[in-house]
Amino acid sequence: MMPLDATSQPYQKFVLDKIFKIIEQRLNESQITHDIAVTIPASKFEELIVLPITISQSNTLYCLDKAQTSNNPELTCIYWQAMNGDMMLTISNEEISPDKDPSNLQCLICYVAAKSSTATDDFHQVYSYLNYGSPYQHETNVHTNQFKAKSNVFYRGCNTDDFFTFCLKISHKTGEVILSHAGPNGIYNHEKIQYRFGKSEIDLSRIDFIYVSAGN
């Protein structure tokens, strides 16, 4: 590489200083997590994997470059994709740990059933549901049909050969929670599972930690 002549050196210094300044600014800025990919082992919902960012942290990052935003959002929307279903989102007000006293623990449960098999004529779809309580009570709730809101036609009209895109909409003030399809399947399937939780059931303004788990 040939050395620059004396007349080009000031320009090179100017350009490099600009580049270094931009790099330094980006290093000092908080980085917003746009996507998280998680491989979940089948554990019959006994192994809960916590996501590396909470709802409050996500809102703080969102507010960094936005004017007139609130530290107490009225609405939270969680979007995610899953291949076959039979998975659960658990959103809690504190960390879930066997070593912690669970007396103050509050959990919003969102279960997405396994997709129905298209290999047989016997079409059967188990319930997808919304609930509150312990994520470890899934089998009991299924057998006793104890759900706050449910649907056994949640995949009707969907393309089951690709990833499903789901949306969980949480209204922190009104207590309303809505589970629906997003993406291409949202065009054909308008099924919504929704329920308005009372404060005596669960305080949605306090939930923060997001866990994922899988069934069989």
Side-chain angles (χ1 to χ4, degrees):
M1 182 176 178
M2 295 182 61
L4 294 174
D5 59 57
T7 59
S8 299
Q9 289 177 359
Y11 176 73
Q12 182 191 48
K13 183 178 183 304
F14 172 80
V15 172
L16 290 176
D17 287 345
K18 285 287 186 181
I19 293 174
F20 292 150
K21 188 174 182 180
I22 292 173
I23 293 173
E24 185 178 0
Q25 287 176 343
R26 291 186 176 180
L27 289 174
N28 291 331
E29 290 176 355
S30 299
Q31 299 299 308
I32 298 177
T33 301
H34 294 283
D35 299 288
I36 300 171
V38 181
T39 301
I40 311 172
S43 67
K44 296 184 178 180
F45 306 107
E46 293 180 359
E47 183 177 347
L48 276 65
I49 299 174
V50 64
L51 297 189
I53 188 169
T54 65
I55 291 176
S56 59
Q57 289 171 341
S58 178
N59 181 66
T60 299
L61 291 174
Y62 174 78
C63 292
L64 286 177
D65 297 323
K66 304 292 181 181
Q68 298 180 346
T69 52
S70 171
N71 290 327
N72 298 305
E74 295 185 8
L75 186 69
T76 294
C77 291
I78 301 174
Y79 292 89
W80 77 99
Q81 289 186 314
M83 190 66 197
N84 296 313
D86 195 23
M87 57 85 60
M88 182 184 293
L89 281 189
T90 301
I91 310 173
S92 63
N93 64 325
E94 58 185 39
E95 292 185 70
I96 301 175
S97 170
D99 300 325
K100 294 188 67 173
D101 180 7
S103 58
N104 295 320
L105 183 66
Q106 293 188 335
C107 297
L108 172 65
I109 309 296
C110 172
Y111 172 71
V112 177
K115 70 178 183 181
S116 302
S117 173
T118 57
T120 66
D121 294 331
D122 183 21
F123 180 86
H124 175 71
Q125 187 180 135
V126 299
Y127 284 113
S128 298
Y129 66 80
L130 296 174
N131 210 359
Y132 75 98
S134 170
Y136 303 115
Q137 294 177 340
H138 171 74
E139 291 297 330
T140 301
N141 291 336
V142 169
H143 288 304
T144 58
N145 204 24
Q146 295 294 315
F147 315 119
K148 288 302 178 181
K150 62 187 179 181
S151 173
N152 63 350
V153 292
F154 193 57
Y155 292 116
R156 180 176 291 173
C158 290
N159 175 14
T160 58
D161 295 326
D162 201 352
F163 282 95
F164 298 101
T165 303
F166 304 108
C167 174
L168 184 66
K169 185 181 295 185
I170 304 169
S171 178
H172 299 281
K173 285 194 173 182
T174 67
E176 186 173 42
V177 179
I178 302 174
L179 172 64
S180 62
H181 286 277
N185 283 325
I187 300 174
Y188 306 102
N189 183 306
H190 299 158
E191 181 75 6
K192 293 182 179 180
I193 304 174
Q194 59 189 98
Y195 182 79
R196 180 166 292 186
F197 291 90
K199 285 287 183 71
S200 60
E201 295 173 314
I202 181 172
D203 186 354
L204 296 182
S205 66
R206 297 176 57 201
I207 59 174
D208 200 22
F209 298 89
I210 304 173
Y211 292 83
V212 291
S213 56
N216 297 314

